[in-house]
Short mmCIF file of all heavy atoms in Angstrom, two decimals:
data_model
loop_
_atom_site.label_atom_id
_atom_site.label_comp_id
_atom_site.label_asym_id
_atom_site.label_seq_id
_atom_site.Cartn_x
_atom_site.Cartn_y
_atom_site.Cartn_z
N MET A 1 90.63 92.42 103.06
CA MET A 1 89.57 93.30 103.73
C MET A 1 88.70 92.58 104.56
O MET A 1 88.30 91.45 104.19
CB MET A 1 88.83 94.02 102.49
CG MET A 1 87.66 94.78 102.94
SD MET A 1 86.79 95.57 101.37
CE MET A 1 85.12 95.38 101.93
N ARG A 2 88.41 93.09 105.71
CA ARG A 2 87.47 92.50 106.71
C ARG A 2 86.44 93.54 107.04
O ARG A 2 86.78 94.77 106.98
CB ARG A 2 88.16 91.95 107.87
CG ARG A 2 89.09 90.74 107.59
CD ARG A 2 89.81 90.42 108.83
NE ARG A 2 90.78 89.40 108.54
CZ ARG A 2 90.72 88.12 108.64
NH1 ARG A 2 89.57 87.61 109.21
NH2 ARG A 2 91.62 87.26 108.29
N VAL A 3 85.30 93.11 107.49
CA VAL A 3 84.23 94.10 107.90
C VAL A 3 83.80 93.66 109.37
O VAL A 3 83.73 92.35 109.58
CB VAL A 3 83.15 94.16 106.90
CG1 VAL A 3 82.45 92.74 106.78
CG2 VAL A 3 82.10 95.22 107.31
N LYS A 4 83.63 94.65 110.18
CA LYS A 4 83.13 94.44 111.53
C LYS A 4 81.90 95.29 111.84
O LYS A 4 81.70 96.28 111.24
CB LYS A 4 84.31 94.76 112.57
CG LYS A 4 85.48 93.80 112.52
CD LYS A 4 86.26 93.91 113.66
CE LYS A 4 87.27 92.78 113.76
NZ LYS A 4 88.07 92.80 114.95
N VAL A 5 81.15 94.78 112.78
CA VAL A 5 79.93 95.48 113.25
C VAL A 5 80.23 95.88 114.62
O VAL A 5 80.65 95.18 115.52
CB VAL A 5 78.69 94.69 113.12
CG1 VAL A 5 78.68 93.34 113.95
CG2 VAL A 5 77.48 95.39 113.49
N ASP A 6 79.64 97.12 115.02
CA ASP A 6 79.67 97.54 116.41
C ASP A 6 78.33 97.15 116.92
O ASP A 6 77.26 97.69 116.50
CB ASP A 6 79.83 99.10 116.41
CG ASP A 6 79.82 99.64 117.88
OD1 ASP A 6 79.27 98.97 118.80
OD2 ASP A 6 80.41 100.77 118.07
N PRO A 7 78.25 96.22 117.80
CA PRO A 7 77.02 95.69 118.36
C PRO A 7 76.26 96.64 119.11
O PRO A 7 75.02 96.56 119.31
CB PRO A 7 77.40 94.43 119.27
CG PRO A 7 78.82 94.76 119.68
CD PRO A 7 79.44 95.50 118.52
N ASP A 8 76.85 97.72 119.63
CA ASP A 8 76.13 98.73 120.38
C ASP A 8 75.33 99.68 119.38
O ASP A 8 74.43 100.36 119.86
CB ASP A 8 77.05 99.57 121.13
CG ASP A 8 77.64 98.78 122.30
OD1 ASP A 8 76.99 97.87 122.85
OD2 ASP A 8 78.81 99.10 122.72
N LEU A 9 75.76 99.65 118.13
CA LEU A 9 75.13 100.63 117.16
C LEU A 9 74.07 99.84 116.17
O LEU A 9 73.11 100.42 115.85
CB LEU A 9 76.16 101.26 116.30
CG LEU A 9 77.10 102.25 116.92
CD1 LEU A 9 78.15 102.79 115.90
CD2 LEU A 9 76.24 103.41 117.56
N CYS A 10 74.43 98.58 116.02
CA CYS A 10 73.52 97.79 115.09
C CYS A 10 72.15 97.69 115.65
O CYS A 10 72.00 97.30 116.81
CB CYS A 10 74.17 96.47 114.82
SG CYS A 10 73.13 95.32 113.75
N GLU A 11 71.09 98.00 114.79
CA GLU A 11 69.80 97.83 115.32
C GLU A 11 69.08 96.62 114.51
O GLU A 11 67.91 96.49 114.56
CB GLU A 11 68.95 99.01 115.15
CG GLU A 11 68.83 99.60 113.64
CD GLU A 11 68.02 100.81 113.53
OE1 GLU A 11 67.84 101.48 114.53
OE2 GLU A 11 67.74 101.16 112.28
N ALA A 12 69.87 95.81 113.85
CA ALA A 12 69.36 94.63 113.24
C ALA A 12 68.18 94.85 112.29
O ALA A 12 67.24 94.17 112.30
CB ALA A 12 69.05 93.59 114.20
N ASN A 13 68.36 95.92 111.49
CA ASN A 13 67.33 96.14 110.55
C ASN A 13 67.39 95.39 109.22
O ASN A 13 66.57 95.49 108.41
CB ASN A 13 67.14 97.62 110.25
CG ASN A 13 68.51 98.33 109.83
OD1 ASN A 13 69.21 97.57 109.14
ND2 ASN A 13 68.83 99.51 110.26
N GLY A 14 68.54 94.72 109.07
CA GLY A 14 68.74 93.85 107.97
C GLY A 14 69.09 94.57 106.53
O GLY A 14 69.10 93.91 105.50
N PHE A 15 69.39 95.84 106.73
CA PHE A 15 69.73 96.54 105.44
C PHE A 15 70.94 96.00 104.72
O PHE A 15 70.96 95.78 103.58
CB PHE A 15 69.86 98.07 105.74
CG PHE A 15 69.95 98.89 104.53
CD1 PHE A 15 68.73 99.20 103.87
CD2 PHE A 15 71.04 99.45 104.03
CE1 PHE A 15 68.75 99.95 102.69
CE2 PHE A 15 71.17 100.23 102.97
CZ PHE A 15 69.96 100.49 102.29
N CYS A 16 71.95 95.69 105.57
CA CYS A 16 73.22 95.21 104.91
C CYS A 16 72.95 93.82 104.40
O CYS A 16 73.49 93.42 103.37
CB CYS A 16 74.36 95.13 105.99
SG CYS A 16 73.88 94.28 107.55
N GLU A 17 72.13 92.99 104.99
CA GLU A 17 71.81 91.71 104.58
C GLU A 17 71.08 91.80 103.19
O GLU A 17 71.32 90.92 102.38
CB GLU A 17 70.92 90.92 105.62
CG GLU A 17 70.70 89.47 105.21
CD GLU A 17 69.79 88.89 106.21
OE1 GLU A 17 68.79 89.36 106.63
OE2 GLU A 17 70.06 87.63 106.64
N SER A 18 70.32 92.79 103.01
CA SER A 18 69.64 92.86 101.66
C SER A 18 70.61 93.19 100.62
O SER A 18 70.31 92.95 99.40
CB SER A 18 68.52 93.91 101.84
OG SER A 18 69.07 95.26 101.93
N ILE A 19 71.78 93.72 100.93
CA ILE A 19 72.74 94.11 99.97
C ILE A 19 73.63 92.92 99.72
O ILE A 19 74.08 92.60 98.64
CB ILE A 19 73.61 95.31 100.35
CG1 ILE A 19 72.68 96.60 100.39
CG2 ILE A 19 74.77 95.52 99.41
CD1 ILE A 19 73.41 97.82 100.92
N ALA A 20 74.07 92.29 100.74
CA ALA A 20 75.05 91.08 100.67
C ALA A 20 74.72 89.97 101.66
O ALA A 20 75.22 89.92 102.75
CB ALA A 20 76.52 91.66 100.87
N ALA A 21 73.70 89.23 101.32
CA ALA A 21 73.25 88.15 102.17
C ALA A 21 74.21 87.07 102.45
O ALA A 21 74.09 86.31 103.39
CB ALA A 21 71.95 87.55 101.62
N ASP A 22 75.24 87.00 101.53
CA ASP A 22 76.20 85.91 101.84
C ASP A 22 77.30 86.40 102.86
O ASP A 22 78.03 85.57 103.36
CB ASP A 22 76.96 85.50 100.48
CG ASP A 22 77.50 86.81 99.80
OD1 ASP A 22 76.86 87.86 99.85
OD2 ASP A 22 78.57 86.66 99.00
N ILE A 23 77.35 87.60 103.16
CA ILE A 23 78.28 88.21 104.13
C ILE A 23 77.53 88.48 105.48
O ILE A 23 78.09 88.21 106.58
CB ILE A 23 78.93 89.54 103.62
CG1 ILE A 23 79.52 89.18 102.13
CG2 ILE A 23 80.00 90.01 104.65
CD1 ILE A 23 80.69 88.29 102.14
N PHE A 24 76.32 89.14 105.40
CA PHE A 24 75.70 89.57 106.52
C PHE A 24 74.39 88.70 106.78
O PHE A 24 73.70 88.48 105.83
CB PHE A 24 75.18 90.95 106.41
CG PHE A 24 76.42 91.98 106.09
CD1 PHE A 24 76.61 92.45 104.84
CD2 PHE A 24 77.26 92.41 107.08
CE1 PHE A 24 77.59 93.21 104.50
CE2 PHE A 24 78.27 93.23 106.82
CZ PHE A 24 78.56 93.65 105.50
N GLU A 25 74.23 88.27 108.01
CA GLU A 25 72.97 87.49 108.30
C GLU A 25 72.37 87.88 109.74
O GLU A 25 73.12 87.99 110.61
CB GLU A 25 73.45 86.02 108.39
CG GLU A 25 72.27 85.07 108.58
CD GLU A 25 72.59 83.69 108.62
OE1 GLU A 25 73.84 83.32 108.89
OE2 GLU A 25 71.70 82.78 108.47
N LEU A 26 71.13 88.09 109.68
CA LEU A 26 70.54 88.52 110.96
C LEU A 26 70.21 87.28 111.83
O LEU A 26 70.39 87.26 113.01
CB LEU A 26 69.22 89.17 110.58
CG LEU A 26 69.42 90.75 110.33
CD1 LEU A 26 68.10 91.35 110.19
CD2 LEU A 26 70.23 91.29 111.55
N GLY A 27 69.54 86.33 111.35
CA GLY A 27 69.20 85.11 112.11
C GLY A 27 68.37 85.54 113.31
O GLY A 27 67.47 86.42 113.15
N ASP A 28 68.52 84.88 114.39
CA ASP A 28 67.74 85.23 115.62
C ASP A 28 68.39 86.27 116.51
O ASP A 28 67.89 86.62 117.60
CB ASP A 28 67.48 83.95 116.43
CG ASP A 28 66.64 83.06 115.56
OD1 ASP A 28 65.86 83.46 114.74
OD2 ASP A 28 66.81 81.73 115.80
N GLU A 29 69.63 86.71 116.19
CA GLU A 29 70.35 87.67 116.98
C GLU A 29 69.78 89.00 116.88
O GLU A 29 69.17 89.36 115.89
CB GLU A 29 71.87 87.60 116.56
CG GLU A 29 72.41 86.25 116.48
CD GLU A 29 72.69 85.61 117.78
OE1 GLU A 29 72.79 86.39 118.81
OE2 GLU A 29 72.74 84.36 117.97
N ASP A 30 70.14 89.90 117.81
CA ASP A 30 69.66 91.38 117.77
C ASP A 30 70.80 92.08 117.18
O ASP A 30 70.76 93.39 117.25
CB ASP A 30 69.12 91.84 119.02
CG ASP A 30 70.09 91.64 120.19
OD1 ASP A 30 71.13 91.18 119.97
OD2 ASP A 30 69.62 91.93 121.29
N VAL A 31 71.85 91.37 116.73
CA VAL A 31 72.94 92.15 116.03
C VAL A 31 73.33 91.27 114.87
O VAL A 31 73.27 90.16 114.89
CB VAL A 31 74.14 92.41 116.92
CG1 VAL A 31 74.62 91.08 117.53
CG2 VAL A 31 75.26 93.11 116.26
N VAL A 32 73.65 91.95 113.64
CA VAL A 32 73.89 91.10 112.58
C VAL A 32 75.18 90.33 112.71
O VAL A 32 76.17 90.73 113.43
CB VAL A 32 74.03 92.18 111.34
CG1 VAL A 32 75.40 92.81 111.35
CG2 VAL A 32 73.85 91.40 109.99
N GLN A 33 75.16 89.22 112.06
CA GLN A 33 76.33 88.22 112.20
C GLN A 33 76.97 88.40 110.81
O GLN A 33 76.46 88.54 109.73
CB GLN A 33 75.85 86.83 112.36
CG GLN A 33 74.98 86.58 113.55
CD GLN A 33 75.73 87.04 114.78
OE1 GLN A 33 76.79 86.39 115.19
NE2 GLN A 33 75.25 87.97 115.55
N ILE A 34 78.44 88.32 110.89
CA ILE A 34 79.26 88.63 109.75
C ILE A 34 79.98 87.25 109.49
O ILE A 34 80.50 86.67 110.30
CB ILE A 34 80.13 89.73 109.94
CG1 ILE A 34 79.31 91.01 110.02
CG2 ILE A 34 81.12 89.89 108.80
CD1 ILE A 34 80.09 92.35 110.33
N ALA A 35 80.05 86.90 108.15
CA ALA A 35 80.74 85.77 107.83
C ALA A 35 82.28 85.83 108.18
O ALA A 35 82.83 86.92 108.20
CB ALA A 35 80.73 85.53 106.29
N ASP A 36 82.77 84.71 108.69
CA ASP A 36 84.19 84.71 109.22
C ASP A 36 85.20 84.99 108.01
O ASP A 36 84.83 84.62 106.86
CB ASP A 36 84.45 83.28 109.78
CG ASP A 36 83.77 83.05 111.05
OD1 ASP A 36 83.46 84.06 111.80
OD2 ASP A 36 83.53 81.93 111.50
N GLY A 37 86.25 85.56 108.40
CA GLY A 37 87.42 85.60 107.51
C GLY A 37 87.27 86.90 106.60
O GLY A 37 86.29 87.59 106.77
N PRO A 38 88.25 86.99 105.77
CA PRO A 38 88.26 88.18 104.90
C PRO A 38 87.09 88.11 103.83
O PRO A 38 86.64 87.13 103.38
CB PRO A 38 89.64 88.11 104.07
CG PRO A 38 90.24 86.87 104.58
CD PRO A 38 89.40 86.18 105.59
N VAL A 39 86.73 89.34 103.38
CA VAL A 39 85.60 89.45 102.41
C VAL A 39 86.26 88.94 101.09
O VAL A 39 87.31 89.37 100.75
CB VAL A 39 85.27 90.88 102.22
CG1 VAL A 39 84.16 91.00 101.11
CG2 VAL A 39 84.64 91.45 103.68
N PRO A 40 85.49 88.08 100.31
CA PRO A 40 86.09 87.60 99.05
C PRO A 40 86.27 88.82 98.11
O PRO A 40 85.41 89.67 98.11
CB PRO A 40 84.99 86.58 98.53
CG PRO A 40 84.22 86.25 99.85
CD PRO A 40 84.18 87.34 100.69
N PRO A 41 87.30 88.82 97.34
CA PRO A 41 87.51 90.04 96.51
C PRO A 41 86.30 90.43 95.71
O PRO A 41 86.05 91.60 95.44
CB PRO A 41 88.72 89.53 95.64
CG PRO A 41 89.42 88.56 96.49
CD PRO A 41 88.32 87.84 97.22
N GLY A 42 85.61 89.45 95.17
CA GLY A 42 84.45 89.67 94.36
C GLY A 42 83.26 90.30 95.05
O GLY A 42 82.26 90.67 94.39
N ARG A 43 83.31 90.26 96.34
CA ARG A 43 82.25 90.79 97.18
C ARG A 43 82.50 92.21 97.78
O ARG A 43 81.71 92.78 98.56
CB ARG A 43 81.82 89.82 98.29
CG ARG A 43 81.44 88.46 97.73
CD ARG A 43 80.24 88.56 96.83
NE ARG A 43 79.04 88.86 97.48
CZ ARG A 43 78.18 89.75 97.14
NH1 ARG A 43 78.37 90.50 96.11
NH2 ARG A 43 77.07 90.02 97.87
N GLU A 44 83.65 92.65 97.47
CA GLU A 44 84.10 93.93 98.23
C GLU A 44 83.27 95.15 97.88
O GLU A 44 82.99 95.94 98.73
CB GLU A 44 85.58 94.19 97.96
CG GLU A 44 86.57 93.21 98.62
CD GLU A 44 88.00 93.49 98.52
OE1 GLU A 44 88.26 94.53 97.80
OE2 GLU A 44 88.79 92.74 99.00
N ILE A 45 82.78 95.23 96.68
CA ILE A 45 82.07 96.40 96.25
C ILE A 45 80.70 96.39 96.99
O ILE A 45 80.25 97.49 97.52
CB ILE A 45 81.73 96.36 94.70
CG1 ILE A 45 83.12 96.70 94.06
CG2 ILE A 45 80.68 97.38 94.27
CD1 ILE A 45 82.98 96.55 92.47
N ASP A 46 80.01 95.26 97.08
CA ASP A 46 78.74 95.21 97.79
C ASP A 46 79.00 95.51 99.33
O ASP A 46 78.14 96.22 99.96
CB ASP A 46 78.00 93.95 97.59
CG ASP A 46 77.22 93.91 96.26
OD1 ASP A 46 77.13 95.01 95.62
OD2 ASP A 46 76.93 92.69 95.85
N VAL A 47 80.03 94.89 99.91
CA VAL A 47 80.30 95.09 101.30
C VAL A 47 80.57 96.59 101.56
O VAL A 47 79.99 97.20 102.55
CB VAL A 47 81.39 94.24 101.78
CG1 VAL A 47 81.89 94.64 103.12
CG2 VAL A 47 81.02 92.78 101.70
N ARG A 48 81.33 97.21 100.69
CA ARG A 48 81.60 98.64 100.88
C ARG A 48 80.36 99.52 100.79
O ARG A 48 80.03 100.49 101.59
CB ARG A 48 82.57 99.24 99.88
CG ARG A 48 83.97 98.73 100.10
CD ARG A 48 84.95 99.44 99.04
NE ARG A 48 86.18 98.73 99.12
CZ ARG A 48 87.15 99.00 100.06
NH1 ARG A 48 86.94 99.82 101.06
NH2 ARG A 48 88.30 98.26 100.03
N ALA A 49 79.43 99.01 99.89
CA ALA A 49 78.02 99.78 99.81
C ALA A 49 77.27 99.58 101.00
O ALA A 49 76.67 100.51 101.55
CB ALA A 49 77.29 99.23 98.60
N ALA A 50 77.30 98.37 101.54
CA ALA A 50 76.53 98.11 102.87
C ALA A 50 77.10 98.94 103.92
O ALA A 50 76.43 99.51 104.69
CB ALA A 50 76.60 96.65 103.24
N VAL A 51 78.45 99.03 104.03
CA VAL A 51 79.16 99.83 105.12
C VAL A 51 78.69 101.33 104.98
O VAL A 51 78.29 101.97 105.96
CB VAL A 51 80.67 99.75 105.00
CG1 VAL A 51 81.40 100.78 105.92
CG2 VAL A 51 81.09 98.29 105.38
N GLU A 52 78.71 101.88 103.65
CA GLU A 52 78.42 103.28 103.52
C GLU A 52 77.01 103.59 103.81
O GLU A 52 76.64 104.66 104.20
CB GLU A 52 78.81 103.62 102.13
CG GLU A 52 80.41 103.61 101.84
CD GLU A 52 80.72 103.83 100.46
OE1 GLU A 52 79.85 103.97 99.57
OE2 GLU A 52 81.90 103.66 100.11
N GLN A 53 76.09 102.55 103.55
CA GLN A 53 74.62 102.81 103.57
C GLN A 53 74.08 102.36 104.95
O GLN A 53 72.73 102.54 105.11
CB GLN A 53 73.96 102.22 102.45
CG GLN A 53 74.35 102.70 101.14
CD GLN A 53 73.90 102.18 99.87
OE1 GLN A 53 72.69 101.77 99.87
NE2 GLN A 53 74.68 101.91 98.87
N CYS A 54 74.71 101.83 105.83
CA CYS A 54 74.21 101.38 107.07
C CYS A 54 73.64 102.55 107.78
O CYS A 54 74.23 103.53 108.09
CB CYS A 54 75.25 100.65 108.02
SG CYS A 54 74.61 100.36 109.68
N PRO A 55 72.34 102.55 107.99
CA PRO A 55 71.65 103.73 108.64
C PRO A 55 72.18 104.08 110.00
O PRO A 55 71.97 105.22 110.51
CB PRO A 55 70.20 103.41 108.64
CG PRO A 55 70.07 101.93 108.32
CD PRO A 55 71.33 101.51 107.75
N ARG A 56 72.86 103.16 110.69
CA ARG A 56 73.30 103.34 111.98
C ARG A 56 74.93 103.55 112.07
O ARG A 56 75.44 103.70 113.14
CB ARG A 56 72.91 102.12 112.93
CG ARG A 56 71.46 102.10 113.12
CD ARG A 56 70.89 102.94 114.11
NE ARG A 56 71.48 102.61 115.40
CZ ARG A 56 71.54 103.44 116.49
NH1 ARG A 56 71.09 104.61 116.40
NH2 ARG A 56 72.18 103.04 117.53
N ALA A 57 75.42 103.52 110.84
CA ALA A 57 76.92 103.62 110.74
C ALA A 57 77.64 102.59 111.76
O ALA A 57 78.59 102.88 112.42
CB ALA A 57 77.35 105.03 111.05
N ALA A 58 77.15 101.30 111.70
CA ALA A 58 77.58 100.33 112.55
C ALA A 58 78.69 99.46 111.97
O ALA A 58 79.24 98.66 112.78
CB ALA A 58 76.36 99.44 113.13
N LEU A 59 78.83 99.53 110.70
CA LEU A 59 79.80 98.80 110.07
C LEU A 59 81.10 99.50 109.79
O LEU A 59 81.05 100.66 109.51
CB LEU A 59 79.23 98.21 108.82
CG LEU A 59 77.90 97.36 108.93
CD1 LEU A 59 77.45 97.05 107.48
CD2 LEU A 59 78.36 96.04 109.58
N ARG A 60 82.20 98.82 109.87
CA ARG A 60 83.42 99.41 109.46
C ARG A 60 84.36 98.49 108.77
O ARG A 60 84.29 97.27 109.00
CB ARG A 60 84.11 100.20 110.48
CG ARG A 60 84.66 99.33 111.60
CD ARG A 60 85.10 100.17 112.76
NE ARG A 60 85.34 99.32 113.94
CZ ARG A 60 86.61 98.81 114.15
NH1 ARG A 60 87.65 99.10 113.38
NH2 ARG A 60 86.75 98.05 115.20
N ILE A 61 85.14 99.01 107.82
CA ILE A 61 86.17 98.09 107.22
C ILE A 61 87.45 98.07 108.01
O ILE A 61 87.82 99.16 108.57
CB ILE A 61 86.53 98.73 105.75
CG1 ILE A 61 85.25 98.90 104.91
CG2 ILE A 61 87.67 97.89 105.11
CD1 ILE A 61 84.78 97.60 104.42
N VAL A 62 88.03 96.88 108.22
CA VAL A 62 89.22 96.81 108.90
C VAL A 62 90.32 96.16 108.08
O VAL A 62 89.90 95.26 107.30
CB VAL A 62 89.08 96.01 110.34
CG1 VAL A 62 88.20 96.95 111.36
CG2 VAL A 62 88.44 94.74 110.17
N ASP A 63 91.41 96.44 108.14
CA ASP A 63 92.65 96.07 107.30
C ASP A 63 92.19 95.71 105.93
O ASP A 63 91.24 96.22 105.31
CB ASP A 63 93.34 94.88 107.93
CG ASP A 63 92.59 93.53 107.99
OD1 ASP A 63 91.83 93.29 107.00
OD2 ASP A 63 92.80 92.88 108.96
S1 LIG B 101 72.62 97.84 108.07
FE1 LIG B 101 73.68 98.47 109.92
S2 LIG B 101 72.10 98.63 111.58
FE2 LIG B 101 71.25 97.41 109.88
S3 LIG B 101 71.65 95.22 110.36
FE3 LIG B 101 73.38 95.97 109.04
S4 LIG B 101 74.97 96.65 110.50
FE4 LIG B 101 72.96 96.53 111.64
#
């Protein structure tokens, strides 16, 4: 499982980072940065929660 962000939709409010800070990181960018590679199996539940709760619907699960 991988997660991607649509940079045109993300408003960098950090909501996803508050759910899974090891996967999503705001840093100095105006779009959230996502850890490289597949989501570790033990983190899939939190990542799915972040995807579902993103207020901008900017995240999506791929493969
Ligand atoms: S919750 Fe959505 S809008 Fe907010 S930083 Fe994450 S991807 Fe961007």
Side-chain angles (χ1 to χ4, degrees):
M1 174 180 142
R2 292 173 190 263
V3 59
K4 290 196 168 184
V5 62
D6 183 332
D8 294 330
L9 293 177
C10 176
E11 63 181 10
N13 56 36
F15 192 76
C16 53
E17 186 181 43
S18 73
I19 295 176
D22 53 330
I23 307 294
F24 304 101
E25 183 180 20
L26 275 183
D28 295 331
E29 309 287 336
D30 56 4
V31 57
V32 77
Q33 305 298 300
I34 297 178
D36 289 336
V39 176
R43 302 300 291 130
E44 290 186 356
I45 290 175
D46 278 349
V47 168
R48 286 185 194 281
V51 170
E52 290 168 7
Q53 295 174 43
C54 170
R56 298 280 296 159
L59 298 172
R60 66 188 170 92
I61 303 289
V62 292
D63 68 37

